[in-house]
């Protein structure tokens, strides 16, 4: 098949950028990486990009296709070629470009190092016996363990674009990989560190990391789990944590978000006073509902019942996140060597069975 593509080239010596178009003949099964190899071999040997494994394992070949991060070795070109589309290939975002499609991964690794990416078991002598972790507990960090450090999530992260010091989705997913590991003995220290400035509460929940991760790590879910674990451990002094707490109180008491009280509850009375002039302006334009008497939603009982149900099911910390997400689809639920067939995602040996009001949680959970 004939494949055409445009590549943003960058020459670091001349400091020049240029969008160049290439067209080559490639086998029908070719990936973007294969096509780049053909361009480099046959058209322009100076084209720079990273690769190693060619099979979605090493994480080297992250780049952008039409503005969205992809792994070049995972991206088939057949459909694009059939449609006659000419995709634009460029280097990943949020990282400095070294040459053509090669970025400086230094800032990426700096953030990974900042989350202490190794197990802190709390002992120096591992002893003679293995430290076995149940399947149920490993399921919690299964997705985070799949990360290949490609940087595709970081490339698309909104928060990192606004604040280059934000720890970012890859590092925080790595952090959750250890927070969720029952063998790790530094959970509180980790949660305190990740909850600080540029940490978990700076995520804007845009979900681009989730969308672009080629390995199903779902970094935003990992950040949500860290937030829930931090709250559960009483680490809630950050404004983001206070914000989240007020959402819960608000929904539980009135069934809707009591926005008028959100600022004092989040920032404190002293800081809120500075916003009085702004608030008065909003009030004059009818943008601020009066806090008293509080408006109570017609079906507030449903919100309260949901709150009670979550409490009853004991979904504190990560358990409140994992079970509610499509994330379970990513878990490999095949049993090991016992030939017993697929393992149920819920129930014994995995997540506790969630259930709806009126259902029997033990037997009829959905
Ligand atoms: S969800 Fe959060 S971490 Fe993920 S890309 Fe958006 S801002 Fe970044
Ligand atoms: S979380 Fe996904 S996108 Fe981000 S570095 Fe890991 S594998 Fe790549
Ligand atoms: S070359 Fe290793 S992940 Fe693409």
């Amino acid at each position: 098949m004939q494949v055409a593509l445009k590549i943003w080239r960058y020459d670091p010596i001349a400091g020049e950028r240029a969008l160049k178009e290439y067209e080559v003949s490639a086998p029908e099964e070719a990936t973007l990486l294969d096509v780049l190899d053909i361009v480099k071999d046959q058209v322009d040997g100076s084209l720079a990009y990273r690769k190693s494994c060619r099979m979605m394992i090493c994480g080297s070949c992250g780049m952008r296709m039409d503005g969205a991060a992809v792994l070049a070795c995972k991206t088939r070109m057949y459909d694009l070629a059939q449609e006659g589309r000419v995709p634009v290939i460029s280097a990943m975002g949020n990282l400095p470009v070294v040459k053509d499609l090669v970025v400086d991964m230094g800032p990426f690794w700096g953030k990974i190092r900042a989350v202490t990416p190794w197990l802190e078991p709390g002992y120096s002598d591992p002893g003679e016996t293995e430290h076995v972790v149940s399947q149920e507990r490993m399921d919690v960090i299964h997705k985070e363990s799949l990360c290949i450090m490609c940087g595709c999530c970081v490339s698309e992260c909104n928060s990192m674009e606004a604040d280059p010091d934000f720890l970012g989705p890859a590092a925080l997913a790595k952090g959750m990989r250890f927070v969720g590991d029952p063998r790790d003995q530094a959970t509180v220290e980790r949660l305190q560190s990740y909850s600080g400035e540029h940490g978990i509460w700076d995520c804007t929940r845009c979900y681009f990391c989730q969308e672009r991760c080629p390995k199903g790590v779902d970094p935003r879910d990992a950040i949500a789990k860290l937030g829930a674990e931090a709250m559960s451990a009483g680490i809630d002094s950050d404004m983001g944590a206070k914000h989240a707490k007020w959402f819960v109180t608000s929904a539980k008491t009135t069934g809707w978000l009591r926005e008028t009280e959100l600022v004092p509850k989040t920032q404190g009375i002293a800081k809120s006073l500075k916003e009085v002039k702004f608030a008065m302006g909003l009030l004059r334009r009818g943008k601020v509902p009066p806090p008293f008497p509080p408006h109570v939603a017609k079906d507030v009982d449903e919100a309260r019942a949901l709150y009670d149900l979550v409490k009853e099911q004991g979904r504190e910390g990560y358990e409140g996140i994992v079970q509610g997400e499509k994330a379970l689809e990513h878990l490999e639920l095949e049993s090991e060597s016992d030939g017993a067939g697929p393992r149920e995602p819920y129930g014994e040996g995995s997540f506790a069975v969630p259930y709806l009001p009126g259902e029997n949680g033990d037997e009829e959970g959905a």
Side-chain angles (χ1 to χ4, degrees), residues 130-148:
E130 287 180 279
H131 298 269
V132 180
V133 181
S134 70
Q135 186 62 53
E136 183 179 2
R137 288 306 308 266
M138 285 313 290
D139 283 352
V140 173
I141 52 170
H142 176 91
K143 290 187 306 165
E144 290 77 4
S145 307
L146 298 175
C147 177
I148 57 170

Side-chain angles (χ1 to χ4, degrees), residues 33 51-61 71-73 148:
L33 185 58
K51 67 167 184 174
S52 181
C53 70
R54 300 183 304 159
M55 55 183 76
M56 300 167 267
I57 294 172
C58 73
S60 302
C61 66
L71 277 186
C73 67
I148 57 170

Side-chain angles (χ1 to χ4, degrees), residues 4 26 85 93 124 143 190 267 288 343:
R85 277 178 56 198
S124 52
K143 290 187 306 165
R190 287 182 189 278
Q267 299 192 1
V288 183
R343 182 166 57 84

Side-chain angles (χ1 to χ4, degrees), residues 73 94 97 103 111 117 119 128 131 143 145 154 176 178 210 218 261 275 296 313 319 323 337 344 357:
C73 67
N94 285 331
V97 181
V103 292
K111 286 169 188 175
L119 196 77
E128 295 296 318
H131 298 269
K143 290 187 306 165
S145 307
V154 164
M176 181 59 209
F178 293 104
Q210 205 113 324
D218 291 348
E261 296 152 86
E275 308 289 346
V296 178
Q313 295 186 9
E319 292 193 278
Q323 298 171 61
S337 56
E344 286 297 321

Side-chain angles (χ1 to χ4, degrees), residues 35-359:
V35 173
L36 293 175
D37 280 347
I38 294 169
V39 170
K40 190 172 175 75
D41 285 348
Q42 300 177 5
V43 185
D44 187 345
S46 70
L47 177 64
Y49 52 95
R50 283 202 182 97
K51 67 167 184 174
S52 181
C53 70
R54 300 183 304 159
M55 55 183 76
M56 300 167 267
I57 294 172
C58 73
S60 302
C61 66
M63 58 188 69
R64 274 178 166 166
M65 176 188 266
D66 287 337
V70 294
L71 277 186
C73 67
K74 190 183 176 187
T75 308
R76 296 255 179 224
M77 299 301 282
Y78 181 79
D79 287 347
L80 287 177
Q82 293 304 106
E83 291 167 15
R85 277 178 56 198
V86 182
V88 175
I89 312 303
S90 55
M92 287 196 293
N94 285 331
L95 291 162
V97 181
V98 176
K99 183 171 191 258
D100 297 338
L101 306 175
V102 176
V103 292
D104 175 6
M105 293 291 278
F108 176 92
W109 295 119
K111 286 169 188 175
I112 298 291
R113 274 195 292 277
V115 298
T116 318
W118 56 82
L119 196 77
E120 295 274 21
Y123 52 76
S124 52
D125 177 5
E128 295 296 318
T129 54
E130 287 180 279
H131 298 269
V132 180
V133 181
S134 70
Q135 186 62 53
E136 183 179 2
R137 288 306 308 266
M138 285 313 290
D139 283 352
V140 173
I141 52 170
H142 176 91
K143 290 187 306 165
E144 290 77 4
S145 307
L146 298 175
C147 177
I148 57 170
M149 306 274 116
C150 65
C152 287
C153 54
V154 164
S155 167
E156 308 309 298
C157 177
N158 273 231
S159 288
M160 201 170 274
E161 201 172 331
D163 171 16
D165 291 330
F166 174 49
L167 275 172
L172 290 170
K174 181 62 73 186
M176 181 59 209
R177 187 255 167 269
F178 293 104
V179 163
D181 191 320
R183 296 166 297 181
D184 193 86
Q185 299 301 309
T187 305
V188 172
E189 293 84 346
R190 287 182 189 278
L191 290 171
Q192 278 167 339
S193 158
Y194 308 163
S195 297
E197 202 181 357
H198 313 299
I200 51 181
W201 299 106
D202 284 9
C203 165
T204 60
R205 304 168 185 83
C206 70
Y207 278 83
F208 282 151
C209 54
Q210 205 113 324
E211 184 187 288
R212 296 316 315 164
C213 173
K215 299 298 284 188
V217 173
D218 291 348
R220 172 55 218 166
D221 281 3
I223 296 170
K225 288 187 221 171
L226 285 173
E229 283 292 292
M231 303 280 268
S232 182
I235 302 166
D236 56 8
S237 58
D238 188 276
M239 263 202 296
K242 290 180 184 161
H243 205 82
K245 270 173 93 172
W246 182 247
F247 268 56
V248 175
T249 307
S250 210
K252 178 181 69 172
T253 50
T254 60
W256 74 305
L257 179 58
R258 289 152 60 182
E259 288 188 72
T260 316
E261 296 152 86
L262 188 61
V263 176
K265 293 292 178 188
T266 302
Q267 299 192 1
I269 301 292
K271 279 195 179 168
S272 304
L273 289 174
K274 292 185 188 160
E275 308 289 346
V276 166
K277 193 172 163 205
F278 179 61
M280 294 308 285
L282 290 176
L283 191 63
R284 272 198 300 278
R285 286 164 182 77
K287 303 280 185 192
V288 183
F292 301 106
H295 171 69
V296 178
K298 185 166 143 275
D299 295 322
V300 65
D301 286 346
E302 286 185 15
R304 290 175 185 164
L306 187 59
Y307 176 86
D308 292 341
L309 186 73
V310 170
K311 287 280 168 208
E312 182 189 323
Q313 295 186 9
R315 302 227 219 139
E316 289 293 319
Y318 67 79
E319 292 193 278
I321 308 295
V322 175
Q323 298 171 61
E325 299 289 339
K326 66 176 175 130
L328 285 173
E329 292 169 16
H330 295 304
L331 300 184
E332 288 171 18
L333 296 165
E334 293 296 320
S335 61
E336 292 160 4
S337 56
D338 59 5
R343 182 166 57 84
E344 286 297 321
Y346 293 112
E348 194 176 345
S350 196
F351 302 111
V353 182
Y355 51 94
L356 296 171
E359 290 183 331

